[in-house]
Amino acid sequence: MKYKHYFAMLVTLAIVALAGCQEVTLGTTNFTGPLNLTEGGSVSAPAVTLAGDADTGLYQSAANQLAVSAAGSQQLLLSAAGVTAPTGLTVSSGSVDFPAGAVAWADVSKSGASLADLATRSAGDLSSGTLPDARLSGNVLLFGGDTHTVCASGCDYTGVTAAVTAAGAGDLIVIGPGTYATESVSIGQNLALVGVGNPSLTGGDANGYVIRVTAGTVWLQNFTIDADASTTNQNHAVQPTGGTLILRGMDLSGGATDGFDAGAGLIVSGAGTTVSVYDSTLTSKDSATGALQMSAGTVRVWGSSLLNDTGGPTVAGQPAIVTGGTLTIYGSLLRGGTDNLGAADTSALKVQGGTVTVYGSSLEDGPSLEAFGLELSGGTATFYHSSLLGEAVAATVSGGTANFYNSYVKAEGTNQPAIDVTNSAGTVNAYNSVLIGNGTATGAVMCVTGTTVSVALSASNLTAMTEATDCTNDVGTPGNVNDAQVN
């Protein structure tokens, strides 16, 4: 018997000596103590593998983290923060439970259930407090709490405010068809609100908002918010001041009023606030307020429309006004307009501070004589593969830095340059872009009135069809432009 113990001890010593230095093969020997490896391995060469499969196994991705790789790619990560599946989670059978209070968005596919579309559900389907089983394909909302229903009759609640007040962290509120008036609710926890049948929320007069988000992760999907007119407040549709807000398929309009600035569709003012907007429409009804207005935080917009409303009580709205924070726009439309008098200063994008980056989007002004695609007085605005059209000039820069990469910038106003730089602090850089002034004779594509303005045009195509009458330093002749083609 003692020889058996000696043999086990020798095997243990051999493993300790060899681990981390070379491959160790374990058979049927049992071990009662810890097995410490001096090398953590990597995603392509895990520290612990199976025979004949050197790129699949366990490895240490960082301190206090254990990861699982398959075919050289990380598939699972365990850490103090929880369990993460970087490439997604596939469940072929059974169910997946989510912890109470959790709200998340993921790619999920589940077949074999009813193929009914959630959008076809009636108020009667909501009366039990849970939605009937449905086919899940693509992006779906995952939540770890209870479901609350809202509809005119037969549901848990007849108003959204009451449902939000009663909800706990991680709950889902399903809003049925109809219009829900005089709503005003503040949300400070994980919560999801999803509309079925295009419901609409109005209200906000007393507090100045229809929905405010102060903390947590809040998900709003598939319904309309049209803030009421007010004589005492700027009535905003959605106002996040903290936490994380996700908007998908939403239609947001600020409240219009006579004698007082209208509210914003979405106004972001919290320094730590993060907002993601997908496939939504945001509308403003006043030139002093943006469909999207932000002074702090981080906002990302995908495939959405930011619009003015020509039916505003005094003047049409600004699609976007940025005074601070970071805004990134992908594949979206920003369209300004005119007021009901036909002469308001409405820009598609007004930047007074912060950082704005635009990819593959279109900025269009309205028919006003003083409308611009971009109005920049501070901060930085950078455009990639985008188009800017202005009824006056396409872009006016009185401060800050404007960068154009592979973009199309055209003035549509008579005798107007494509870009008007009106302050010595302004900086304009255009690379591989097309700049077009408007008129009948050769002249300036850029009007520069500041003596120390920095202008760099590289490999750009410039078309200047008239001399802008108020220019003191025209950029549009071969002598003024380096590496640019002037037509």
Side-chain angles (χ1 to χ4, degrees):
M1 180 65 69
K2 66 179 180 179
Y3 296 108
K4 179 178 180 181
H5 291 302
Y6 289 149
F7 177 74
M9 180 180 68
L10 289 174
V11 171
T12 302
L13 291 175
I15 291 175
V16 172
L18 293 175
C21 301
Q22 63 184 27
E23 180 178 309
V24 178
T25 302
L26 303 179
T28 58
T29 304
N30 296 322
F31 298 91
T32 59
L35 176 62
N36 298 318
L37 305 181
T38 60
E39 296 292 335
S42 65
V43 65
S44 58
V48 179
T49 63
L50 302 177
D53 198 353
D55 60 357
T56 298
L58 300 175
Y59 70 98
Q60 184 182 36
S61 60
N64 299 317
Q65 293 185 358
L66 179 64
V68 178
S69 67
S73 176
Q74 186 184 99
Q75 301 297 319
L76 200 64
L77 177 64
L78 287 77
S79 68
V83 180
T84 304
T87 60
L89 179 65
T90 301
V91 180
S92 58
S93 62
S95 61
V96 178
D97 294 328
F98 297 94
V103 174
W105 186 258
D107 289 329
V108 176
S109 179
K110 181 182 185 300
S111 60
S114 169
L115 301 183
D117 189 340
L118 293 178
T120 66
R121 297 300 179 184
S122 64
D125 293 323
L126 307 178
S127 61
S128 64
T130 59
L131 286 170
D133 197 10
R135 179 181 178 84
L136 305 180
S137 179
N139 287 326
V140 297
L141 181 66
L142 309 176
F143 61 98
D146 296 327
T147 300
H148 308 271
T149 59
V150 178
C151 63
S153 63
C155 292
D156 299 328
Y157 303 94
T158 57
V160 175
T161 300
V164 170
T165 301
D171 284 0
L172 169 66
I173 297 175
V174 180
I175 308 170
T179 298
Y180 302 88
T182 63
E183 300 286 2
S184 183
V185 58
S186 181
I187 303 174
Q189 62 181 354
N190 294 349
L191 197 64
L193 283 72
V194 177
V196 176
N198 194 31
S200 177
L201 277 63
T202 63
D205 185 34
N207 297 318
Y209 58 84
V210 179
I211 292 180
R212 172 180 285 175
V213 176
T214 61
T217 297
V218 177
W219 182 276
L220 306 179
Q221 181 181 353
N222 292 345
F223 59 94
T224 296
I225 301 178
D226 191 355
D228 288 341
S230 172
T231 57
T232 58
N233 291 306
Q234 281 185 291
N235 239 4
H236 310 299
V238 177
Q239 183 182 36
T241 60
T244 299
L245 172 65
I246 303 99
L247 303 171
R248 184 177 289 271
M250 295 293 293
D251 190 340
L252 308 179
S253 297
T257 183
D258 287 309
F260 199 85
D261 290 341
L266 171 65
I267 183 167
V268 184
S269 58
T273 305
T274 299
V275 180
S276 299
V277 182
Y278 303 89
D279 305 317
S280 296
T281 299
L282 281 61
T283 304
S284 174
K285 300 172 183 176
D286 191 298
S287 63
T289 310
L292 165 62
Q293 185 167 324
M294 63 179 296
S295 58
T298 300
V299 177
R300 300 180 182 89
V301 179
W302 285 269
S304 296
S305 297
L306 282 63
L307 309 174
N308 77 319
D309 180 0
T310 56
T314 54
V315 292
Q318 306 271 3
I321 299 177
V322 182
T323 60
T326 301
L327 170 63
T328 308
I329 301 174
Y330 305 88
S332 296
L333 169 66
L334 286 74
R335 188 176 64 207
T338 184
D339 61 13
N340 55 12
L341 301 177
D345 177 354
T346 59
S347 306
L349 173 61
K350 178 181 287 188
V351 182
Q352 300 170 324
T355 301
V356 178
T357 307
V358 181
Y359 297 90
S361 298
S362 177
L363 282 71
E364 304 173 359
D365 71 334
S368 168
L369 296 177
E370 295 298 329
F372 315 110
L374 166 68
E375 184 178 354
L376 176 67
S377 59
T380 301
T382 302
F383 301 85
Y384 297 90
H385 300 279
S386 296
S387 65
L388 290 83
L389 304 177
E391 185 63 27
V393 298
T396 178
V397 180
S398 60
T401 300
N403 302 305
F404 303 93
Y405 297 87
N406 301 97
S407 293
Y408 180 84
V409 184
K410 180 183 178 182
E412 297 183 326
T414 303
N415 298 330
Q416 297 289 346
I419 301 176
D420 188 0
V421 187
T422 60
N423 188 293
S424 59
T427 299
V428 175
N429 301 294
Y431 305 95
N432 300 311
S433 297
V434 176
L435 281 64
I436 303 177
N438 191 15
T440 57
T442 300
V445 295
M446 184 177 295
C447 174
V448 182
T449 58
T451 57
T452 61
V453 173
S454 174
V455 176
L457 303 176
S458 176
S460 296
N461 184 305
L462 311 179
T463 301
M465 293 177 286
T466 190
E467 177 76 12
T469 57
D470 59 348
C471 279
T472 59
N473 184 8
D474 302 335
V475 178
T477 64
N480 294 76
V481 182
N482 294 324
D483 302 321
Q485 177 182 348
V486 180
N487 296 326

